[in-house]
Amino acid sequence: MKRKLFICLLWCATGFSALAQTKSNKIEFTEYTLPNGLHVILHQDNSTPNVAVSVLYHVGSKNEQAGRTGFAHFFEHLMFEGTENIDRGQYMSMVQNAGGTLNANTSFDRTYYFELLPSNQLALGLWMEAERMKHAKIDEVGVETQRKVVQEEKRERIDNQPYGTLGENVFDLAYTKHPYRFMPIGSFEDLNNAKIEEFRDFYKTFYVPNNATLSIAGDIKIEDTKKLIEQYFAAIPKGTKEIPRPNIVEPKQTEERRKVVYDNIQLPAVIQAYHIPAQGTPDYYALSMLTTLLSGGESARLPKALVDKQQKAVVAQSIPFPTEDPGLFLTLAIANMGVKVDDLESAMNAEIERVKTEQLDDKEFQKLRNQIESQFVQQNSTVAGRAENLADYHVYYGDANLINTEIERYMKVSKEDIKRVANQYLTKENRVVLHYLPKSAQPK
């Protein structure tokens, strides 16, 4: 009893501390837009001598056409090939030699580049991102090189990875019209069939200042940084092509869809995916909190029931995909040795039904709120995290200040809201179900 009381007090203390941080440590920033359309966000934090320089291009796999998938992710690689003023293969070494690191990532909705540098190397980061935006090399040598790199990545991370095709199978089954049915990695065939002119057209369409957000956080002086941005970015011309924004609405799903996938695995798995509203909507916040309730730690409902108590699974979790258009809420579990896949699915369904029918008690709800508050603080605890979140909030929501206030949207979610969204969205007719089985179980 004493231990339970201590744990409860610890959770409360963590929650109060996180809430105090969100209220007292407001993240100050300056934002403006250059005449060429480049949106700039600057956050000054002189506590450590480093800086994050990032550029978010509002282009992801959602912007691609059927038959030409994988372009956004391909460009994430191609943009490290070099520019008119940076020799091929030198992009990474220049940052590393300056004591920094760099990386990039692509999603359904965006492509994001960043450098983490000593603050006295800010000009280098800005120059290199300006070079990427204005003078990138889009030539046959770079395209052929990166074709091979992307193909090898797909083989390694998806085709030859146990459960690696989970994403492409789930999204292909869940979406019939919307381009979310294409995973960012794309297909070999589409990339191999694309001509050099198509790659150059993609660059001229999307890699333009009016489709980009430059977000800088760290040990900077605002006015000095503005001058550097003017020096490196102001002369880059605004894009002249119309930027495609798909307006396809996925038809409402009215009956369950199921699929069996035979994979190079030993333990079966069950994946359920439910259609949910886009990020930023009130119901999305309730569903996000529901995810934390189901799988936010070892003591959360799915692992506690399926892994610890029933020992039917070795892994059990839920994942909401935060997407600009309506996305998916996944629950998945990998079966324990000897457990039948149908029994595992029944156990997963039982936990979903609990959320729908049982009232969430005050103690568990307070723990949930504390977890959300703590996560909110942690994701903004580094200059890299702040630079990325400021850019995301501006692009997706049109309000960078949500970096300070979005927690209030979570705190508005009630116990009744969580129960309501579970009943509204986690229904049989609104889901797809995949059973992953070992290839040895495939009928001859």
Side-chain angles (χ1 to χ4, degrees):
M1 181 65 185
K2 289 182 179 179
R3 184 173 182 272
K4 289 183 179 179
L5 178 61
F6 173 75
I7 292 173
C8 181
L9 290 172
L10 182 62
W11 272 111
C12 289
T14 302
F16 289 144
S17 173
L19 187 57
Q21 277 190 274
T22 62
K23 289 182 176 179
S24 63
N25 294 352
K26 182 180 179 182
I27 296 171
E28 302 287 351
F29 60 91
T30 299
E31 63 178 329
Y32 61 99
T33 303
L34 293 178
N36 60 9
L38 177 67
H39 194 77
V40 179
I41 307 176
L42 306 176
H43 164 62
Q44 182 172 334
D45 177 356
N46 304 117
S47 59
T48 56
N50 56 62
V51 63
V53 178
S54 72
V55 178
L56 188 159
Y57 291 93
H58 196 185
V59 55
S61 57
K62 178 183 66 182
N63 301 89
E64 299 163 355
Q65 302 297 318
R68 288 297 181 267
T69 63
F71 270 50
H73 172 256
F74 183 82
F75 264 78
E76 175 200 323
H77 289 264
L78 189 62
M79 289 297 97
F80 288 98
E81 273 291 301
T83 74
E84 291 180 10
N85 299 302
I86 300 175
D87 292 338
R88 193 180 308 278
Q90 293 301 304
Y91 203 100
M92 290 189 180
S93 62
M94 288 178 68
V95 173
Q96 291 166 350
N97 291 340
T101 61
L102 74 167
N103 215 326
N105 56 69
T106 309
S107 74
F108 292 104
D109 301 310
R110 68 162 205 183
T111 309
Y112 186 75
Y113 301 89
F114 64 91
E115 292 87 23
L116 306 179
L117 292 158
S119 52
N120 62 4
Q121 297 296 321
L122 170 62
L124 173 67
L126 292 173
W127 175 71
M128 295 184 77
E129 286 300 341
E131 278 290 301
R132 197 197 313 262
M133 189 180 292
K134 186 178 182 181
H135 295 132
K137 286 180 182 174
I138 314 295
D139 57 20
E140 296 283 4
V141 174
V143 166
E144 291 308 314
T145 299
Q146 295 306 324
R147 271 192 177 119
K148 294 181 176 66
V149 171
V150 170
Q151 289 175 356
E152 183 57 32
E153 179 185 353
K154 187 173 187 294
R155 291 189 190 98
E156 183 179 326
R157 293 175 54 188
I158 296 177
D159 298 341
N160 298 325
Q161 191 73 236
Y163 316 102
T165 59
L166 186 154
E168 62 184 37
N169 276 299
V170 167
F171 280 84
D172 182 63
L173 189 60
Y175 289 94
T176 61
K177 300 292 184 182
H178 194 280
Y180 283 162
R181 69 187 188 275
F182 309 128
M183 294 297 290
I185 194 75
S187 74
F188 288 177
E189 183 179 6
D190 288 355
L191 290 176
N192 286 336
N193 289 339
K195 308 300 183 191
I196 188 68
E197 292 79 13
E198 295 176 86
F199 292 110
R200 289 170 177 158
D201 183 70
F202 190 91
Y203 178 70
K204 291 176 183 177
T205 301
F206 294 105
Y207 278 74
V208 291
N210 43 306
N211 193 46
T213 297
L214 172 65
S215 182
I216 302 170
D219 184 25
I220 62 173
K221 294 179 180 178
I222 298 296
E223 293 306 315
D224 290 348
T225 304
K226 284 183 177 182
K227 292 175 183 177
L228 287 172
I229 291 169
E230 178 74 19
Q231 176 183 342
Y232 292 118
F233 289 92
I236 300 176
K238 185 176 184 177
T240 58
K241 292 177 174 287
E242 181 180 354
I243 299 173
R245 300 284 180 221
N247 56 6
I248 299 169
V249 177
E250 179 66 22
K252 181 178 175 61
Q253 185 173 322
T254 57
E255 61 181 5
E256 184 184 63
R257 302 171 191 155
R258 302 182 73 91
K259 182 177 182 179
V260 176
V261 179
Y262 296 97
D263 197 8
N264 188 25
I265 57 176
Q266 293 183 326
L267 299 175
V270 177
I271 302 95
Q272 302 169 329
Y274 302 85
H275 291 274
I276 61 171
Q279 61 185 3
T281 57
D283 282 359
Y284 175 80
Y285 292 105
L287 287 158
S288 182
M289 292 185 74
L290 174 56
T291 294
T292 304
L293 175 69
L294 290 173
S295 66
E298 293 181 2
S299 63
R301 289 193 177 189
L302 281 175
K304 187 174 182 179
L306 274 64
V307 178
D308 295 342
K309 289 186 176 180
Q310 301 173 32
Q311 297 187 353
K312 290 185 177 180
V314 294
V315 172
Q317 58 186 201
S318 67
I319 307 165
F321 277 82
T323 46
E324 197 169 17
D325 292 345
L328 296 178
F329 180 108
L330 269 64
T331 58
L332 65 91
I334 298 176
N336 211 340
M337 189 70 72
V339 175
K340 294 181 179 179
V341 70
D342 291 334
D343 292 340
L344 179 59
E345 183 179 348
S346 296
M348 294 169 67
N349 290 339
E351 287 307 305
I352 297 297
E353 287 304 312
R354 276 190 62 206
V355 180
K356 293 180 178 181
T357 57
E358 297 178 7
Q359 185 66 37
L360 186 62
D361 67 48
D362 291 339
K363 180 181 176 181
E364 193 173 22
F365 184 57
Q366 186 58 54
K367 174 184 173 181
L368 176 59
R369 285 165 59 91
N370 294 343
Q371 285 179 286
I372 296 295
E373 290 170 345
S374 179
Q375 290 168 11
F376 188 78
V377 171
Q378 289 171 12
Q379 70 182 5
N380 293 319
S381 63
T382 65
V383 292
R386 280 171 243 157
E388 183 170 7
N389 285 331
L390 283 165
D392 279 342
Y393 284 128
H394 165 70
V395 171
Y396 294 143
Y397 304 89
D399 181 9
N401 194 49
L402 281 171
I403 198 169
N404 293 306
T405 63
E406 192 185 29
I407 187 63
E408 297 169 8
R409 299 186 179 186
Y410 284 101
M411 293 301 101
K412 288 180 180 178
V413 175
S414 67
K415 293 187 291 184
E416 292 72 24
D417 288 328
I418 294 173
K419 184 176 180 180
R420 175 183 58 78
V421 295
N423 280 281
Q424 182 174 346
Y425 298 104
L426 306 192
T427 63
K428 184 176 181 179
E429 63 272 13
N430 187 44
R431 75 181 182 185
V432 299
V433 180
L434 281 83
H435 285 182
Y436 265 68
L437 300 178
K439 287 185 176 180
S440 59
Q442 191 167 4
K444 303 298 183 181

